[in-house]
């Protein structure tokens, strides 16, 4: 019923938003920048804000047309390497002669599309052969495709890594840090030839007992049955995944926005001033961010509930109780995969120490193969996107990959 009401509201508001965007576009032609058209500019700015407040369930484009490699512009082509109903291994192929280290970027399945890591990929691309997990919106996955829980997530990571072949590397951002650590442990124990040579875990909840955040407090505030009863719903029958149980992406976005509601309100007020004042650069930056931020995807209910219970409530990984298809996962058996953990000093989603916990769990690695970096001044998104990621975090990622080759 919750999902039905949300979708009805979206359907009701859609024509209003389309009208607002269309009318605003027309009115811009009557704004000549002079004082007498100032009211037109104000009205146009208000219409833009109204038209841009809706959510979308369509993945935005990565939009990589070319990249600079050794002072040469090289075309980038998106190539689907391997696909299942729940996700696609996407390769950003470059036509170059010199081989580059293959890196699998594992995107979070946490309410946003993989394009949330656009800047992560953009920074990696010039010097690496980059692949990414492009997860499918669960409301577009037919029920007949079966379940998708934590075991299946780990299975996908292993299968995708095998597509890269021996000598690859892996980088996980946020939520998938736990299943990626598990996948590498499983591959290491099985002596899988595709076991990555390096593993970078960024702002991920390996041990949520360290520096608990509001996210951790919410997970601890109710039993798992409460989450299933109140936050899981059924996809309406009009969609391909009709009848599938999901955690709606709209709920996840609402939870994230509520943590910083003042910041979002302030950002939209600033956008109104930017449009009225004619600051197109700042206005465009706002549009790019919220076009991505308001694109949401639903999570399979099994994966969401198992993540809440295992990672945030029972702390299975740090307590040595994490399993994959019923078998214990043993990070201490990781002996040849160089490890880098990265955290943000101001991260209000994944607290300090939560990702670094992986260093102790991977006790089979020699000390020189384990490294931690705390990025000063960075919040959650600043660890993998923006100036600090590009200038301070990425050089350490590149060095870790180079040392592992």
């Amino acid at each position: 019923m919750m999902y039905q009401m949300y979708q009805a509201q979206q359907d009701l508001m859609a024509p209003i938003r389309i009208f607002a965007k269309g009318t605003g576009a027309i009115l811009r032609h009557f704004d000549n920048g002079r004082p007498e058209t100032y009211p037109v500019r104000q009205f146009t700015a208000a219409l833009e804000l109204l038209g841009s407040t809706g959510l979308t369930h369509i993945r935005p484009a990565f939009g990589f047309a070319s990249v600079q490699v050794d002072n040469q512009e090289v075309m980038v082509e998106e190539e689907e390497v391997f696909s299942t109903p729940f996700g696609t291994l996407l390769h950003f192929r470059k036509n170059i002669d010199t081989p580059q280290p293959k890196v699998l970027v594992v995107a979070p399945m946490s309410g946003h599309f993989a394009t949330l890591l656009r800047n992560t990929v953009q920074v990696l691309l010039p010097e690496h052969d980059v692949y990414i997990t492009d997860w499918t919106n669960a409301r577009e996955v037919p029920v007949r495709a079966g379940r998708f829980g934590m075991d299946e997530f780990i299975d996908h990571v292993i299968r995708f890594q095998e597509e890269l072949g021996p000598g690859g590397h892996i980088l996980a951002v946020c939520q998938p840090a736990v299943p990626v650590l598990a996948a590498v442990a499983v591959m290491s124990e099985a002596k899988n030839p595709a076991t990555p040579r390096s593993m970078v875990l960024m702002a991920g909840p390996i041990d949520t007992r360290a520096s608990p955040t509001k996210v951790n407090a919410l997970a601890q505030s109710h039993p798992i049955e409460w989450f299933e009863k109140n936050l899981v719903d059924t996809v309406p029958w009009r969609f391909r995944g009709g009848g599938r149980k999901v955690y709606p992406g709209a709920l996840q976005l609402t939870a994230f926005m509520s943590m910083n509601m003042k910041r979002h309100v302030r950002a939209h007020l600033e956008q109104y001033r930017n449009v009225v004042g004619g600051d197109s650069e700042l206005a465009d930056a706002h549009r790019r961010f919220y076009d991505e931020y308001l694109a949401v995807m639903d999570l399979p209910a099994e994966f969401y509930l198992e993540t809440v219970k295992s990672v945030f409530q029972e702390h299975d990984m740090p307590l040595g109780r994490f399993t994959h298809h019923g078998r214990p996962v043993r990070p201490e058996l990781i002996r040849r995969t160089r490890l880098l953990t990265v955290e943000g000093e101001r991260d209000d989603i994944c607290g300090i120490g939560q990702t670094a916990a992986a260093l102790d769990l991977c006790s089979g690695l020699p000390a020189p193969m384990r490294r931690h970096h705390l990025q000063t001044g960075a919040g959650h998104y600043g660890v993998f996107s923006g100036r600090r990621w590009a200038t301070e975090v990425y050089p350490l990622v590149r060095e870790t990959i180079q040392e592992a080759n």
Side-chain angles (χ1 to χ4, degrees), residues 65-67 73-77 93-95:
S66 63
V67 65
E73 186 174 3
V74 177
M75 303 302 294
V76 177
E77 181 181 351
R93 186 166 62 86
K94 305 189 295 285
N95 187 18

Side-chain angles (χ1 to χ4, degrees), residues 18 28 58 74 126 148 156 164 177 188 191 196 228 239 259 281 294 338 366 370:
I18 292 173
R28 285 193 192 96
I58 301 173
V74 177
F148 188 92
H156 276 66
L164 271 66
S188 297
K191 295 181 171 55
E228 183 172 11
F239 301 106
M259 292 174 59
E281 185 175 345
L294 298 178
R338 187 173 291 271
R370 290 178 283 169

Side-chain angles (χ1 to χ4, degrees), residues 22-56:
T23 304
I26 294 172
L27 287 177
R28 285 193 192 96
H29 295 291
F30 296 94
D31 179 14
N32 58 18
R34 297 176 181 175
E36 59 266 23
T37 59
Y38 185 74
V40 175
R41 205 175 314 143
Q42 289 180 303
F43 190 44
T44 301
L47 287 173
E48 176 176 327
L49 291 183
L50 175 60
S52 63
T53 55
L55 304 185
T56 176

